[in-house]
Amino acid sequence: MSEQKLLSICIPTFNRVDFLRYNLKSITDQFEAEPALKDIVEIVISDNASADGTKEIVASFVEKYSNITYHRNETNIGFDRNLNNAIKLAGGKYCFSLGDDDAL
């Protein structure tokens, strides 16, 4: 069993694939620069039933980074419930909510 991550970066998203791609790249670039971060940081994405290719883009990141969790809602459940869903899926000691249009 793996150890609990120190930080969960929780990202709710809906139909903003280009922003989300940039967001994920900004985080994963840091994993490349400092590989030990992958052991203590996880990314949790809750997708509000996007219809813009979000699922496919996230899959390409998940393929490379095992510390990314992706959940897709069957329907749009609204922002608040989507954010809460991402937080519920998080396993880290600390949780950081990050907009899909933000970058680190």
Side-chain angles (χ1 to χ4, degrees):
M1 180 177 218
S2 64
E3 287 187 35
Q4 178 184 30
K5 302 291 187 185
L6 179 63
L7 178 65
S8 298
I9 301 173
C10 298
I11 306 169
T13 192
F14 177 65
N15 281 340
R16 291 161 49 114
V17 68
D18 291 332
F19 287 116
L20 183 62
R21 179 187 299 117
Y22 184 77
N23 171 308
L24 292 174
K25 178 132 175 49
S26 77
I27 299 168
T28 58
D29 281 353
Q30 294 180 56
F31 293 162
E32 294 300 321
E34 185 59 51
L37 287 173
K38 290 185 276 188
D39 295 330
I40 61 171
V41 177
E42 70 174 344
I43 300 170
V44 180
I45 302 161
S46 185
D47 178 3
N48 232 348
S50 296
D52 65 350
T54 293
K55 182 179 178 180
E56 293 77 15
I57 290 302
V58 173
S60 69
F61 281 91
V62 169
E63 188 176 300
K64 188 170 181 185
Y65 301 97
S66 62
N67 60 329
I68 298 177
T69 300
Y70 174 71
H71 172 80
R72 186 176 190 280
N73 301 315
E74 290 184 23
T75 61
N76 186 324
I77 60 174
F79 175 79
D80 292 339
R81 287 180 60 202
N82 195 35
L83 174 58
N84 286 339
N85 195 41
I87 293 168
K88 285 178 188 174
L89 293 167
K93 182 174 181 179
Y94 300 102
C95 180
F96 179 66
S97 174
L98 185 66
D100 58 5
D101 62 341
D102 294 327
L104 296 180

